[in-house]
């Protein structure tokens, strides 16, 4: 139902926002945040009160992200839901179906999100790491976690939820991480050497030659080829080091 759609949109955004660092650490932080939010993250966000949750969510940290930053994130999400009805609708206010990809839509989404007044959370603090959750292509960022979130929301298969209805899968950009960078360079999918928006779009454009309708469907495979290679290399190295050469 519609409740499940909103639940997945909000819960998915929080999960994607914290998807950086070691896997075990990521899962621990996501679990801690979602445990406070309960069974209905969307309902929690709609009723979110900064002062009320300053001790619960305010105590969660993830690498350089502090509880204060998570409070600011939830305040931004609450305003999205209150003003636009859903994260998808808020995103669509900057979306153009005629664009070849979602670069401009992402730029608009993050700019409008960070344009909200967050003084009630931060006070006079200038170190506001909530901006890390809303990167912009114009700053050169690959926007990995936002692109991952969009992949979850837009594509529909055994991996992705497909709860959004407007953005087309052909417009998605690959979520660039160390694994896709490694395989992308190895296979000649990009001419760029430095990670960033240009590389993410370049790899995606190359993948469009194989599937112009759904280029990002290759993301999971590219990422796991790299992971498997690393596991194989590590296992081989461990085996070699254990051999007694006398």
């Amino acid at each position: 139902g519609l409740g499940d759609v909103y639940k997945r949109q909000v819960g998915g955004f929080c999960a994607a926002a914290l998807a950086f660092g070691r896997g075990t650490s990521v899962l621990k932080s996501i679990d801690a945040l979602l445990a406070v939010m309960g069974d209905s993250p969307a309902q929690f966000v709609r009723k979110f009160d900064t002062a009320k949750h300053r001790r619960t969510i305010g105590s969660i940290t993830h690498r350089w992200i502090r509880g204060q930053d998570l409070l600011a994130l939830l305040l931004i999400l609450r305003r999205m839901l209150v003003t636009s009805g859903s994260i998808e609708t808020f995103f669509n206010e900057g979306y153009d179906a005629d664009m070849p990809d979602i670069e401009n839509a992402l730029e608009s989404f993050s700019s409008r999100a960070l344009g909200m007044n967050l003084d009630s959370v931060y006070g006079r603090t200038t170190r506001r790491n909530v901006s890390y959750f809303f990167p912009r292509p114009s700053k050169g960022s690959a926007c990995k976690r936002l692109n991952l979130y969009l992949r979850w929301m837009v594509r529909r298969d055994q991996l992705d939820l497909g709860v959004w209805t407007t953005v087309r899968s052909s417009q998605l950009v690959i979520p660039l991480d160390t694994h896709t960078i490694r395989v992308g360079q190895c296979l000649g999918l990009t001419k760029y050497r430095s990670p960033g928006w240009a590389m993410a779009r370049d790899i995606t454009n190359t993948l469009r030659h194989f599937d112009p309708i759904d280029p990002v469907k290759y993301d999971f495979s590219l990422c796991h080829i790299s992971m498997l290679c690393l596991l194989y290399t590590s296992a081989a190295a461990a085996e070699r080091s254990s051999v007694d050469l006398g």
Side-chain angles (χ1 to χ4, degrees):
L2 200 56
D4 282 340
V5 170
Y6 293 145
K7 174 181 177 180
R8 290 175 175 181
Q9 284 194 48
V10 173
F13 195 93
C14 293
L18 294 172
F20 63 98
R22 293 180 64 85
T24 50
S25 171
V26 168
L27 292 175
K28 184 179 177 182
S29 297
I30 292 172
D31 285 346
L33 179 57
L34 293 182
V36 178
M37 297 174 78
D39 292 333
S40 181
Q43 202 62 20
F44 176 88
V45 167
R46 286 183 190 280
K47 296 178 178 179
F48 175 70
D49 180 84
T50 307
K52 181 180 175 184
H53 294 101
R54 202 173 281 277
R55 296 186 71 177
T56 52
I57 287 170
S59 66
I60 300 171
T61 60
H62 179 69
R63 301 195 65 186
W64 59 81
I65 296 298
R66 299 164 300 157
Q68 204 173 27
D69 304 313
L70 294 174
L71 290 170
L73 168 63
L74 293 177
L75 182 59
I76 289 172
L77 293 180
R78 181 172 76 87
R79 289 174 181 166
M80 286 184 188
L81 299 192
V82 170
T83 60
S84 303
S86 71
I87 298 174
E88 180 182 15
T89 306
F90 183 84
F91 184 89
N92 287 345
E93 287 162 11
Y95 167 73
D96 185 345
D98 294 327
M99 287 290 115
D101 62 37
I102 41 79
E103 177 180 357
N104 291 346
L106 273 182
E107 186 75 25
S108 171
F109 177 79
S110 288
S111 297
R112 285 181 290 122
L114 293 177
M116 299 179 189
N117 189 313
L118 299 172
D119 289 349
S120 62
V121 174
Y122 286 112
R124 295 182 179 180
T125 304
T126 54
R127 184 185 167 209
R128 301 185 172 195
N129 285 338
V130 70
S131 60
Y132 188 69
F133 300 132
F134 298 96
R136 288 183 285 166
S138 66
K139 300 289 188 182
S141 172
C143 304
K144 183 201 89 168
R145 286 159 298 114
L146 284 182
N147 280 324
L148 179 63
Y149 175 70
L150 290 174
R151 198 199 88 188
W152 291 344
M153 293 298 108
V154 174
R155 297 191 68 258
R156 178 188 285 275
D157 58 14
Q158 292 90 339
L159 290 172
D160 298 318
L161 302 171
V163 295
W164 283 18
T165 58
T166 308
V167 179
R168 301 192 311 277
S169 60
S170 62
Q171 295 174 296
L172 296 177
V173 172
I174 201 159
L176 196 67
D177 64 9
T178 54
H179 300 291
T180 47
I181 291 168
R182 184 183 295 114
V183 176
Q185 290 179 332
C186 182
L187 296 179
L189 301 179
T190 179
K191 61 179 181 285
Y192 291 95
R193 305 306 302 172
S194 300
W197 183 260
M199 178 185 279
R201 188 166 56 181
D202 194 35
I203 291 176
T204 307
N205 287 339
T206 304
L207 295 174
R208 282 199 180 95
H209 293 302
F210 303 105
D211 190 338
I213 303 300
D214 190 13
V216 173
K217 76 178 183 185
Y218 300 108
D219 175 48
F220 184 81
S221 300
L222 291 174
C223 186
H224 282 74
I225 286 171
S226 173
M227 288 181 176
L228 287 171
C229 286
L230 285 177
L231 283 173
Y232 177 79
T233 304
S234 298
E239 185 177 339
R240 187 176 300 169
S241 66
S242 67
V243 174
D244 184 1
L245 297 177

